[in-house]
Amino acid sequence: MPEDIIDLIRESVIQGRVTKDDEGLDEDMVGQPGMSELIEEALISGVDAQDIINQGLTAAMKIVGKRFEAEEYYIPDMLASAEAVGVAMEILEPELTRSGVKPKGKIIIATVKGDLHDIGKNIVSILLRGAGYIVKDLGNDIETKDIVKAVKKEKPEFLGLSALLTSTMVNMEDTIKALTESGLRDKVKIVIGGAPVSEEYAESIGADGYGADGFQAVAVVEALNSGTTGNK
Amino acid sequence: MPEDIIDLIRESVIQGRVTKDDEGLDEDMVGQPGMSELIEEALISGVDAQDIINQGLTAAMKIVGKRFEAEEYYIPDMLASAEAVGVAMEILEPELTRSGVKPKGKIIIATVKGDLHDIGKNIVSILLRGAGYIVKDLGNDIETKDIVKAVKKEKPEFLGLSALLTSTMVNMEDTIKALTESGLRDKVKIVIGGAPVSEEYAESIGADGYGADGFQAVAVVEALNSGTTGNK
Amino acid sequence: MIRKGLAGGSYKPLTPEAISKINETALRIIEEIGCEVNSDIALASMEKAGAIVNKKQRRVRLSPQKALELISKAPSEITLCGQDEKHDIHLGGNRVYTGTGGTALYIYEPHTDQRRQATLDDLKRIARLVDNLDNIHLFMLPTYPTELPLEQVDVNRFFAGLDNTTKHIMGGVYTHDGVQQVIRMAKIVAGSAEALRQRPLISMIACSISPFIIDGEYGDVMVAIAKSGVPLVCPAEPLCGATSPVTLAGNLVVQTVDSLMGVMLAQAVNPGTPVIFGSVATSTDLRDLKYIAGSVEMGLLNAAGAQMAQFYKLPFYATGGMTDSKALDAQSGYESSITGLLCALAGANFIHDAAGLMEFALTACYEKYVIDNEILGMVMRAVEGIRVDDETLAFDIIKEVGPGGNFVTAKHTRRFMRQEHYQPSLSDRNSREVWEARGKKTTWEMASEKVRTILDSHTGGLPDTVRSRILSEIKGIVD
Amino acid sequence: MIRKGLAGGSYKPLTPEAISKINETALRIIEEIGCEVNSDIALASMEKAGAIVNKKQRRVRLSPQKALELISKAPSEITLCGQDEKHDIHLGGNRVYTGTGGTALYIYEPHTDQRRQATLDDLKRIARLVDNLDNIHLFMLPTYPTELPLEQVDVNRFFAGLDNTTKHIMGGVYTHDGVQQVIRMAKIVAGSAEALRQRPLISMIACSISPFIIDGEYGDVMVAIAKSGVPLVCPAEPLCGATSPVTLAGNLVVQTVDSLMGVMLAQAVNPGTPVIFGSVATSTDLRDLKYIAGSVEMGLLNAAGAQMAQFYKLPFYATGGMTDSKALDAQSGYESSITGLLCALAGANFIHDAAGLMEFALTACYEKYVIDNEILGMVMRAVEGIRVDDETLAFDIIKEVGPGGNFVTAKHTRRFMRQEHYQPSLSDRNSREVWEARGKKTTWEMASEKVRTILDSHTGGLPDTVRSRILSEIKGIVD
């Protein structure tokens, strides 16, 4: 029974379905239980939350990642899967807290001042939630002082900054300087990304990591979290 | 005066115009004297026939040949020019005979038995006439015995054979054999051509020359005529 | 997602008035000039069907009424079947399918930048390759096995096709006896004569010679195919400035007359027999009278030919998708795509020669099949066009997203992304960095890898019993 | 023989019903959703012209009546002039012209198979190259001089164009001050402000941001251009699945709304000002959200866009003819030709980006300009179509030639051969033997030779007096 439902949870991640009304990647999935229904059912049946996470969600996301690398899955597929994981984690959170399991970490994310588009940042948010992080999205066109204020208040383990234009990229450097001036720089790992950003730029302004795309961004955060030094 | 009219004759070759009603390559030529009118006028004015040929026709065909090589002129241009030269030669013939000038030579040309298309052979005929030869065109799908008969009767300096198909190409070899058997082989130079024919094939069946296209065919005949050994 | 049989016709190079004029001129030629028919049986069939025949000149003429009456006997829909039903092709209307064609004498090998003579083994391997290329819908026998004597060519070509792909096999035929043997073979594969009639697994091609000649041997072959009931393609190959007027309109007139002559002959021999109006019309290199296979004019002529076929309500066999290049360079890409696209948008039912051919159709190339499969995928996506309805207009989703928003996370995107957009199977869409890291492979190098993968993994072939029956009953097959 | 301004429209991807539905949905969005306008002057202009404005949200909406009224003030015919009158371009109806585009940051050099940063000198040399390529009708500034500071970019880009080709110069602009300086420069070249109004030698581009945003800086620039009377292009760049619905119909709706917003803003600022409805719509690589420049869907979107422009009676700026390939391989040939051909057949007035661009429009390439010039020659020949009349049908010549005859010797052939058939300027039509003897050159190698020949022999440039006046009056020009 528990294995059956964990199979279904895995399939729900792979299909990227949150509720029973969602379409999956395969046709004719509508009507079958989605992630919300399955997790509720699993908890009622007494399945261990950590098992759901390890054998269900994490295992499934690995399959999704492989399909993405093989170019069978596109970003919208990946996002749907990550969203399903995010929903599962939300439902599981009280259970995890109850059993003393610590969340993986908190992340503040923002697109810097001057930039209006936020597609890349939104994707990273969804993927990080899918990876089990608590994500606080400040939005786009965010003033440096507001970013500093948020870091001070929320005390996140990570800060993600995004810029789309060469002309706004400089605001990343400003933000890091402002954090240093406020004495907060050492309390948070900073990961940056966006079209004009490069590995070299990240190093030059003293960021802790750089993600060329959303998936790399997640990988970098995971690496920094486990103590290795990102993609350097 | 004579130089002026020879200029006009040259231009008439370059433009490929036989009569005043012909269009040229350039627009608005209709109504200006063509080759027929110009040659008649030149003869009346007492211009030397040999000068017309050398300074007019032959000089102009060299220009046409160069334009063809430079891909400014296409086959229809070349044919129009050759036709204009052929018409000039026809008008000049009595004059040349009177002054004891020998024609360059007589050529019998035919497409061998089994072949229906005759575009290539027709082009060669026109070009050879344009080069000053007397050409007797037997037509296409010609039986070997009829070719032998014609050679016996006309006593030409050259015989041109054309084949379009691999399956009819063998009839060229048969024709050469039949001429040998009739004791006529040594009296005529044989030049062959057509899509499936090659230099090697020409050698293997004992032909005297091979023309990859109409212009090469004329060049080979010219070379054989001046005593050199064709394109071997 | 395989796109085939989709309706073209959004492109119309000819106006209705132009179509009328071409038809009128063609009928006038059929009535006033006529066609020279050098096959006795063809001549007799036409006379019996009501044509005006001048026997001395071997000239056949028909009144417009008689011509249109004969043409109207031809079916306007023809199904060409594959051994596997999923490969069936329903020619007619403005539905578009693609296929190979030939007959090439050489194989070009890009690794060595050399060409060599084509063998029977090449034909088998190309059949296996095409069996795996989804955007090539029909297998027309594309190469000539240069090592075989003429009398073994027909049976070996068709056997190579039938034994190596379950797509429909179309092919030119070279001897009268070959036609009979090939039909016998097809009956064995189909199961019976009746089964072959119900599901024609093969079709045959017999050309007229432009302008206005039905050859003795080809005429005999045409009559034999028409009698057998196997679908017959009657293409004409007028070349602008050589065997037709240099003007495109004049070429279309000659192509129309010559192909209609074949159609009428087939109907005279066997009324109702499935016959396909065909065009191999193109331009000529007026420097040396070469057949040109990659000119834009060839695309225009064959697109317009599709409209003429639609006018006569006849299934159409077009020619497009080739190149005159000697290498797999940019020219090979733009020439193949321009002519193929023009034919397809006009609704040409079957575009033959659409894959694998180079340098004036003299030469086939394995890698080119893979490249053309990609081009044809794009071409068929263009034919599919733009679906406009409430679901695709997506007003509600647009309203929800609003100014400055994005659609990446919208379920609508995931629902439609695979069907609305062609998924490349060859084209490289990686950034230069990734492309360089993966070895800087150009199109033909990627195609080469795909050829190897397909040929290494292909399975299939005729059932053993069928195979051994053919080998014992049909003479001359080199197994 | 140069083919330009010929009428397209023989290809219609959208039915009249589909056009109506897209229009209705677009007008509904303009009324119900509207556009976020972040430029104060643009917002004020729209409000003054009768739009419903929510100042807090910076949201501008218009009733369908008001929208159509503003759109109708835009001229439906615009002449873009060259310094040489023979290069004048008359946009409108379904007449087709082609041009370059950009803005590329890199130059690809096929000899080394490397790319490098583009400089101002590249822009000048590309202008000289394009000045000599007949099938590229307009010079849109294609590269960004990466070595210059932002404030020097606008004047130097336009000066490089005006000083190196007599074709019309169109370009994107980066600063408000740049717009003013460039217009001043154009007045000097034209002779006076009035002369420039009579003969606009330059035109400028200012994009809206899909979906439904007019940016602060771009909005200010749009208003400045509209006030100046210099022709303005208002393109929108919706990307399927990213900044628009993934469906082509949904993308067309967003493109229509966003480009119409620019058109309406220009008319609100300066009624009757020449403004060009523009599309840079395309698909998105949904593996990494890259802008895709060579997809067949891009061709469909821009062809359909041409029909929408014709519906609104607005001149159209389409995007087509690019490739995502990193090399000048077969992919570069088929991608560039498919999108270019679709746009042209649909009657897109001005196809920009149609020459020289590779890899997602990031990179320009000298050789690619020459290759695309050949593709565009073929494309324009396709647009020209098939002339059908008594002279081209050639009944009399056909009758004279008769069965089995040939047309090589017919005067009719010589009369029409050069005009009926496109004369290749690059494609190789030699036999393999000749091609091998001449060094086995692939398309890009032949293109390379042509680049060298043109750049070595180019002459021209602004008259000395004009040149020195510009250099003394306009600051920041690097000569």
Side-chain angles (χ1 to χ4, degrees), chain A residues 15-16 22-23 25 71-77 79-80 119 122 126, chain C residues 404-411 413-415 417-418 423-424 430 438:
Chain A
Q15 292 286 336
D22 281 354
E23 304 168 51
L25 195 66
E71 301 184 4
E72 289 162 45
Y73 268 35
Y74 299 138
I75 289 177
D77 302 314
L79 292 176
I119 299 186
N122 288 359
I126 295 173
Chain C
N406 81 71
F407 295 78
V408 185
T409 54
K411 285 194 199 311
T413 297
R414 199 171 178 227
R415 187 179 312 137
M417 63 187 180
R418 285 180 171 84
Q423 309 296 319
N430 292 303
R438 293 187 186 175

Side-chain angles (χ1 to χ4, degrees), chain C residues 11 36 44 62 69 81-82 84 103 124 156 194 206 224 246 250 255 282 302 312 318 364 411 421 429 431 468:
Chain C
Y11 167 53
E36 186 181 313
L62 295 99
E69 187 198 314
C81 298
D84 186 330
T103 310
K124 292 177 186 175
N156 276 291
E194 180 52 27
V246 78
Q255 181 267 319
T282 190
N302 283 274
Y312 293 116
K411 285 194 199 311
H421 294 264
R429 288 184 172 176
S431 67
S468 56

